[in-house]
Amino acid sequence: MNKKLLLLSLLLVVGLFVSCSSDDSTEKPVIPVIKEPLPITISELTSDFLIIGQNLEIKGINLANKDYPTVVLLNDTEPVVAKEVTETKIVLPITDAIKVGTNSVRIQINKTLSARANFFVMKKGWNKLNGLGTYDVLTSNVFDDSNSVFSFADSDTRDFGFWGFPAKLQGTSEGLTRTAVKQNGGSYGAFKMVNDNIGVLTSTNAATYSNSGFENSNSTTVESSFSPAINGLNIGYADQNTSIVTTFRGGQLYTADNGATVIKSEPLKWTARGNYYRASITTFKKSSNGKFYQLGIINDYAKEGSNKHRNVVLESATGYSDWTVIDTISKANLNISYTYKFLNINNILTIDTTNKTLVASTDMLKTWNVIKTDVKNIFLRTETQWYIVSGDKIYVTKDSGATWELELELPADSSVNEISFSKTKIIVSGNKGLHYLKLE
C-alpha cells in the first residue's frame, strides 16, 4: 500500500512540472521600432556674419532624431561638435578651427542631408577690408554693438578731383560688403554716424540729419555768406543726442533732435574784414573739461601782410554760442600742421610737417615740444593712448609717448587719412582702398 502511495505522489509531481513547463505566459522580447530621419530644413541662421569666439545658432525643422546622431558638417566634409542640439535649434561655437572667410553648414542625420547655409567668419585682430575697392577712404565709423562700418570716400580717381560719397559696409555671408546709403545726388563734404541709426551728412551749404540710418532724413540749408563754397560744412561734434556742424570761418549749426530744430550761429564779426575772412578755424572739438574749443589761425593780409599769422583759440560751454576769445595774439608756428588733435585742451598734439616730428602744446598753441621723430600723423584714442603713422607702420603708445609698440605694418607708400575707434574696434582709412579693421 505504501509503495502505491509513493508512486502516485511521484506521478503528481511530474505532471505538475510538465504542466508548468508548457505554460504560454512567458514574456516575449520587444523589437524596437527605428524612427527614420525626416527631411531636414535649415530655416534661419542668427547671423551670416560672425567673429571667432561667437556662437552660430542654426534654426530649423527635424534637426535631431532619437535613433541617429546629428552631424554638423562644415564645408560639406568637416564634422564639428555642436554646443547644443534640439529638433529646432543647434548652437555651434565659432572657434579658431573654423576657417576665416565664407563657410557652409549642413546637417546630416543618417543618410538624410539638409541644404547648405552660408556664413562668413572674421578673425580677431587686424582684417583687410575690400568693400570700397580702390577708392580713397577718408573717414570711417565702427560700433561695439553692430558689425556695420560707415565710411566716407572719394569716388573721383583723378589726383585733383573730388566726389565725396557715404557708404556702408554690412556683414553678410560674403564678408563686409558695400550697401547703399540713401542720399540725393551730388558730392558731399563730410559724413559721420554715431551708431547704426543716427548720423550727419554735409555738403557745401546743407546739413542732412537722420535717425534711421538715412532710410529717412531731413536737411537744413544755409546761405553762402554763412558757409563759403571754398570750405563747406564740417562735422565738429556728434553724439546720440546732439550734433554741431561747423565752418572753417567759425559758424555753427546746432541740433539736439536730429535736425528737426536747428540753431544757427553766425561767424564772429571780428573774423571778417568786409567780405574778406581774417580767421580760418581748422579744429573744432570738445575737451575732457566739458567745454568746446575752436582752434585755427588769423591774419589780416590787407593790414599786416602775409607773415603775421597768429593763433586763434575760442572757448564755449555750449559749442554754438557765447564764444570767449582765449587768444588771437600769440604768433602761430608756420612749420606745424593746423589740424590739431586733442582730448584735453591742455595737451594739444600735431605734426611738425617741416621736421616730420610729433609735437605737443600744453599752453594752447603758444609753444611746442617734440615728442617723437619721423611721424606722419597722429590719432588719439584716449588722453594717454595714441596711434601714429611712421613710414609704412602704425605704432601705439599707452603712456603718452613714453614708450611705443608696433601696431600694424602697411603696404609700401601707404597714405593714412584717419584712424578711429570704438571700445573694442579700431579702423584705419586711407587712400587707394587702404582700409583695415581690428577686432579686439
Side-chain angles (χ1 to χ4, degrees):
M1 183 68 179
N2 289 336
K3 291 181 178 180
K4 290 181 179 181
L5 289 173
L6 179 60
L7 180 60
L8 181 60
S9 298
L10 288 170
L11 290 171
L12 288 172
V13 171
V14 171
L16 181 61
F17 178 78
V18 171
S19 174
C20 291
S21 299
S22 62
D23 190 352
D24 293 335
S25 65
T26 303
E27 184 176 339
K28 296 179 180 179
V30 176
I31 300 174
V33 177
I34 302 297
K35 183 180 179 183
E36 291 299 323
L38 296 172
I40 304 169
T41 301
I42 296 177
S43 59
E44 178 187 1
L45 303 179
T46 47
S47 175
D48 56 3
F49 181 90
L50 296 115
I51 298 164
I52 289 175
Q54 296 179 330
N55 289 326
L56 171 65
E57 287 191 9
I58 306 164
K59 297 181 181 180
I61 303 170
N62 303 320
L63 303 181
N65 181 290
K66 69 181 185 65
D67 296 312
Y68 297 98
T70 296
V71 179
V72 181
L73 289 174
L74 275 181
N75 305 315
D76 291 327
T77 60
E78 307 165 36
V80 290
V81 178
K83 201 173 185 179
E84 176 186 344
V85 177
T86 70
E87 288 191 357
T88 58
K89 183 176 76 171
I90 295 174
V91 179
L92 181 66
I94 304 300
T95 68
D96 289 329
I98 299 176
K99 74 178 178 72
V100 172
T102 298
N103 294 267
S104 68
V105 62
R106 302 180 84 176
I107 309 303
Q108 184 174 20
I109 303 177
N110 197 19
K111 296 180 181 180
T112 302
L113 194 62
S114 74
R116 296 177 185 85
N118 293 331
F119 64 96
F120 190 92
V121 172
M122 181 169 279
K123 66 183 174 71
K124 291 290 186 71
W126 285 104
N127 298 269
K128 176 73 174 72
L129 305 184
N130 300 306
L132 294 177
T134 58
Y135 290 141
D136 290 351
V137 187
L138 306 180
T139 64
S140 296
N141 304 130
V142 289
F143 317 113
D144 296 315
D145 58 355
S146 82
N147 294 319
S148 302
V149 175
F150 288 91
S151 296
F152 183 60
D154 175 14
S155 63
D156 192 328
T157 58
R158 296 173 300 174
D159 290 339
F160 300 102
F162 179 80
W163 195 267
F165 71 94
K168 178 182 180 181
L169 301 182
Q170 181 68 47
T172 71
S173 61
E174 296 179 351
L176 284 168
T177 58
R178 181 180 168 185
T179 59
V181 175
K182 288 186 178 179
Q183 79 274 355
N184 297 323
S187 179
Y188 293 87
F191 177 56
K192 183 176 180 63
M193 298 293 291
V194 298
N195 56 37
D196 262 347
N197 296 311
I198 298 174
V200 189
L201 176 66
T202 73
S203 61
T204 299
N205 62 347
T208 302
Y209 307 90
S210 179
N211 59 8
S212 61
F214 283 88
E215 290 299 315
N216 299 290
S217 59
N218 54 298
S219 299
T220 295
T221 302
V222 296
E223 299 82 6
S224 59
S225 61
F226 174 80
S227 174
I230 191 173
N231 286 317
L233 297 174
N234 301 282
I235 301 165
Y237 178 80
D239 61 25
Q240 295 187 27
N241 301 309
T242 64
S243 68
I244 304 174
V245 172
T246 72
T247 75
F248 278 120
R249 304 311 185 193
Q252 300 90 41
L253 295 176
Y254 170 86
T255 180
D257 50 19
N258 291 312
T261 306
V262 177
I263 299 174
K264 173 184 171 184
S265 297
E266 295 286 353
L268 298 174
K269 291 183 178 179
W270 58 266
T271 65
R273 180 182 290 276
N275 293 325
Y276 172 74
Y277 285 88
R278 303 168 64 217
S280 176
I281 304 300
T282 58
T283 302
F284 183 107
K285 197 163 184 64
K286 187 177 183 179
S287 170
S288 56
N289 64 6
K291 295 181 180 181
F292 292 85
Y293 292 85
Q294 295 189 72
L295 309 178
I297 56 174
I298 187 170
N299 197 351
D300 191 337
Y301 290 97
K303 181 179 179 181
E304 301 174 332
S306 60
N307 60 352
K308 301 289 185 180
H309 293 82
R310 298 191 300 275
N311 296 312
V312 173
V313 180
L314 307 176
E315 179 186 84
S316 168
T318 64
Y320 64 92
S321 63
D322 300 324
W323 288 98
T324 299
V325 178
I326 303 298
D327 184 16
T328 58
I329 298 173
S330 63
K331 186 175 181 180
N333 185 333
L334 299 183
N335 291 331
I336 66 171
S337 167
Y338 299 126
T339 306
Y340 306 112
K341 310 286 179 68
F342 67 89
L343 296 176
N344 182 333
I345 189 61
N346 295 313
N347 192 27
I348 302 169
L349 297 161
T350 192
I351 304 301
D352 183 325
T353 54
T354 300
N355 299 305
K356 297 181 181 180
T357 56
L358 171 64
V359 294
S361 174
T362 57
D363 55 9
M364 295 193 188
L365 310 183
K366 293 182 179 66
T367 59
W368 297 92
N369 300 310
V370 175
I371 302 295
K372 192 173 184 351
T373 59
D374 190 24
V375 180
K376 292 181 182 178
N377 215 334
I378 171 75
F379 305 92
L380 310 183
R381 190 173 197 176
T382 69
E383 289 190 25
T384 58
Q385 186 171 346
W386 315 334
Y387 291 74
I388 61 167
V389 181
S390 178
D392 291 318
K393 295 180 176 65
I394 295 175
Y395 293 88
V396 59
T397 177
K398 298 178 182 178
D399 50 18
S400 302
T403 60
W404 297 87
E405 300 173 8
L406 177 65
E407 178 65 42
L408 177 65
E409 293 196 41
L410 302 171
D413 301 321
S414 292
S415 177
V416 175
N417 294 317
E418 185 187 61
I419 304 176
S420 55
F421 314 91
S422 70
K423 289 182 179 179
T424 61
K425 299 177 183 178
I426 308 172
I427 190 160
V428 176
S429 303
N431 289 349
K432 298 181 180 179
L434 185 74
H435 216 193
Y436 287 88
L437 173 65
K438 184 180 184 183
L439 304 173
E440 297 180 318

